[in-house]
Amino acid sequence: MIVAVFDTNIILQGILSEGGPADECLRFVFDGKVRLVTTDAMLGEIEDVISRRKLVSKYPQLRTDRPDQLIAKIRSEADLTSQPQNVYRFERDRKDEIFINLAIGINADYLVSRDNDLLDLMDDSEFTFRFPWLKIVNRYVFLKVVREL
């Protein structure tokens, strides 16, 4: 089974775009094809973001039961772990360290993101030498890998 960490932007996009690629990533978790590992802090950040008045007024789907249902389902289906140990310092975007360190700490196969700061790490030879098992990919690449299993 593939072990993955999803950046919060993947989960947020899954909530906002039912039937879209990020939603399909979540469905693979719910179908038992992917083991998602996350933290309460990451899910709490998503809950905070989706409750912001500006976003709620912009996205009508945030005024439905879908966001709460998906987050509850993620909480029940994903492996929740504690805050990861800080093994890798990411100067380019310190907010992304939590995703990198979680993926490293659990020996994840994939870190799935839409964030170019994270995706660019696959072009960093020092990073790929230190963590050769970890692939940081966008949702489309991840979906292709899972579909081919």
Side-chain angles (χ1 to χ4, degrees), residues 89-105:
R89 240 176 119 74
F90 191 44
E91 296 297 332
R92 184 168 166 179
D93 190 344
R94 299 295 304 274
K95 295 178 300 187
D96 290 335
E97 282 183 9
I98 188 168
F99 306 110
I100 299 166
N101 284 305
L102 177 57
I104 292 167

Side-chain angles (χ1 to χ4, degrees), residues 45-58:
E45 178 186 340
I46 293 166
E47 289 170 324
D48 175 57
V49 168
I50 64 174
S51 67
R52 292 180 185 160
R53 185 173 299 144
K54 184 177 179 179
L55 284 181
V56 170
S57 66
K58 183 176 181 177

Side-chain angles (χ1 to χ4, degrees), residues 9-32:
N9 59 37
I10 295 297
I11 296 173
L12 181 59
Q13 190 68 42
I15 290 170
L16 292 175
S17 184
E18 187 171 3
D23 183 45
E24 188 175 352
C25 289
L26 289 172
R27 279 187 276 135
F28 281 132
V29 171
F30 304 149
D31 292 344

